[in-house]
Every structure is written in structure tokens, then in C-alpha cells.
Amino acid sequence: MKTTARYRHRLPQGDGGLFLTDGGIETSLIFQDGLDLPLFAAFPLMRDAKSRQFLIRYYERYIDIARTHAMGFVLESPTWRASADWGAKLGYSAADIAAINADAIGLMHDLRDGYEDRASPMVVSGCIGPRGDGYVPGEVMSEDAAEAYHALQVEAFADAGADMVSATTMTNTSEAIGIVRAALQAGMPVAIAFTVETDGRLPTGQTLTEAISLVDQATANGPAYYMINCAHPTHFREVMEADQDWTRRIRGLRANASRRSHQELNDSPDLDAGDPIELGGQYRDLLQTHPQINVLGGCCGTDHRHVECIALACKTVSAAGTA
């Protein structure tokens, strides 16, 4: 029986309240669970019941935090690398990739069915990563090419009953525009998460202001909201001007635990987990200046400890705002 989307026509995070999501799934699975993830891909764990248990346990840690704090939760599928090019490098056909994306959404539905309650609504999101490397723009696709390429995942998510699409670690606007167009064509709300370097600019050199404005102009304000991911708060907090039209479009943060640059992270053999308490405080400070931000998670080097600290720190800001 086909599973239908629950929140596709009205995302609950759009109505306010804090929503958590997970941390750095790949770094957690590699450094904490000791798993080998070729090409930094988590989706092959969907293949059998034994490896799927690692994914289930991973998500359950975060779900427990959201339920403990009566916060919503965005279930991001483990499909950041589950696109045609990356799948081919790992020996998967386009049909295999479409099936895996659908199966991943099915797993997210199973988790929601098992844990959602009135205090913690759970949104099922299909996660899309960049066609190329997540740290460098590489050869930038045209908008049309990006739309055609990412439609495989978007359509699989739509057919499987996902509520929305999240495109993370976006390095350039052309690819982001293509993904937004593919999502809108499929009738799916979409969030775009740009990554930035230590100077607060995209790897292409574009400013966040330029990137968000260009995507909005090209898609008639198509994204439901924007996020920033795979960068430490110190890399972007100074460029986020308060109470500007473009910053009000940013509603989510998935920061790295480490202050290292993308190149330093790429070259490092170890995991820099940073300071979870400090990271929570940095999120709190950003929310005090940008109260519209309400989707909170982590990226490289973060795990459930970081998200717990983020929830505790930001809960006080949310409570003060509603007092």
C-alpha cells in the first residue's frame, strides 16, 4: 500500500516552535559505530536488516531528545549520496537508486509511526546532496541540467510519500535552482541548505545574500525556507545581518562541530567533535538575533550530544519568546 504524505501541504515547522533534526550521520556512523562508508555514503546500509539497525539506532537517539523536550523533529533520509552519479560509482543502477530512495522514505515513515506524538510532530524529508563534492563547486551544472539530474531522487521521494525535500551542502546557485524547480514540478516543498567557507561565502565566492536572492528570483520564492549547513557558526554569524529580508528566509541551522575549514576537514584523519556545550550556546546566540530560525541539527562531527546541548540552550530562547 502506498504511503501518503502527512504534512506536504502544510509543514508544521512553518508554524513556529522548535524542530530538531539529526547530526552528522556519516561521521557518527564512521567514528562512533566503526562502519566503513565508501564515498561517504550512508544509503548502502539500507540493503539488509543487520545494517539497517545501525540507521534505526542512529535516528532513535535523536528522536528521544526531541520527545524529551517536546520538540518537533525532521526525519532526514540517509540519502545525501543516493543520486545517480554517486550510485554508479558504488555499483548501483538508476533503478536501484530510485528504489533505495523510496525505501529510505519508507524507513522514515516507520520511525514516525513508532514515535510521533502530539507534542513532537515528525516531518519526513528526502535528503539530496550535491552532484559533485560537498566542499567544492567543481564543474557547475546549468539550472536545466541540475533539474533533470536531481529529478530522479525528487520523484522517488514524492512517490514514496515524503513531506518535503531538503537539499544540503549546496555549493552553488545553479544546482540549487535546478533542485527547487524539480521539487516544485513534483509538488514538493523544498528547503535549500547552503554551505559556506570560513569567510561566510559559498565555495563559488558568492555571498549568502546573493545566493538566496538569486534562487528566490529564479524560482519565485520557491523554497519553503533556507538553511546553512556544514560550517561552524563562527564562519557565518558575522555575515548574517539582523532583520533583513534575506536572513528572514533562513530558518534552519546544521552546523559543524569543528572550526576547521572544509579543506582541513577533508585532509584530517581524525574527528574534531568540538565542544557540544559551546556549540549549543552559539546556536542560542544566533536564535536571539534571528528568532525565525527553528530547525536545528548538526553536520560533520556532531552527534546526539551536540543536538542535546542545542535543544537545552535554544529551549530557553523559545520559552522567552513565547512568555
Side-chain angles (χ1 to χ4, degrees), residues 84-306:
D85 285 2
W86 290 103
K89 292 176 183 178
L90 291 165
Y92 293 84
S93 68
D96 293 335
I97 287 296
I100 284 171
N101 279 286
D103 191 23
I105 297 302
L107 177 60
M108 300 300 98
H109 277 292
D110 290 345
L111 288 165
R112 175 164 69 186
D113 291 346
Y115 293 105
E116 184 179 48
D117 58 31
R118 183 170 294 182
S120 296
M122 297 185 183
V123 179
V124 171
S125 176
C127 182
I128 289 178
R131 185 175 190 176
D133 191 287
Y135 289 163
V136 294
E139 184 177 343
V140 177
M141 291 182 287
S142 70
E143 296 163 9
D144 289 344
E147 180 179 355
Y149 178 78
H150 290 291
L152 173 69
Q153 275 189 288
V154 170
E155 291 167 3
F157 295 150
D159 290 344
D163 296 310
M164 65 177 292
V165 173
S166 295
T168 63
T169 330
M170 291 291 106
T171 62
N172 65 89
T173 54
S174 294
E175 188 164 15
I177 290 167
I179 291 171
V180 173
R181 289 176 175 169
L184 296 178
Q185 183 64 31
M188 296 283 285
V190 56
I192 296 292
F194 285 116
T195 188
V196 297
E197 301 293 344
T198 56
D199 61 359
R201 291 174 177 262
L202 274 63
T204 56
Q206 289 173 303
T207 65
L208 274 170
T209 314
E210 292 168 337
I212 290 172
S213 298
L214 281 169
V215 175
D216 272 349
Q217 289 167 12
T219 64
N221 288 1
Y225 56 88
Y226 291 87
M227 300 179 70
I228 301 173
N229 85 296
C230 206
H232 192 267
T234 57
H235 299 166
F236 56 82
R237 67 186 178 194
E238 298 303 324
V239 303
M240 286 185 64
E241 304 166 281
D243 200 28
Q244 298 294 308
D245 288 344
W246 73 272
T247 48
R248 284 194 290 267
R249 294 284 280 138
I250 299 172
R251 298 198 62 150
L253 298 176
R254 296 194 64 159
N256 287 346
S258 174
R259 296 171 185 260
R260 293 174 181 171
S261 69
H262 287 152
Q263 189 62 53
E264 289 169 333
L265 287 172
N266 205 41
D267 295 341
S268 178
D270 66 325
L271 178 71
D272 181 1
D275 183 335
I277 295 174
E278 180 186 54
L279 187 65
Q282 290 164 333
Y283 271 60
R284 179 194 60 229
D285 293 345
L286 282 163
L287 263 65
Q288 288 174 334
T289 307
H290 305 281
Q292 81 283 352
I293 295 175
N294 69 328
V295 180
L296 310 171
C299 202
C300 297
T302 62
D303 57 38
H304 58 285
R305 297 169 301 169
H306 299 78

Side-chain angles (χ1 to χ4, degrees), residues 7 14 25 35 38 40 45 69 130 181 188 214 238 278 312:
Y7 299 118
I25 182 170
L35 301 180
F40 218 51
L45 298 176
H69 296 287
R181 289 176 175 169
M188 296 283 285
L214 281 169
E238 298 303 324
E278 180 186 54
L312 286 168

Side-chain angles (χ1 to χ4, degrees), residues 315-323:
K315 191 174 183 178
T316 60
V317 178
S318 179
T322 56

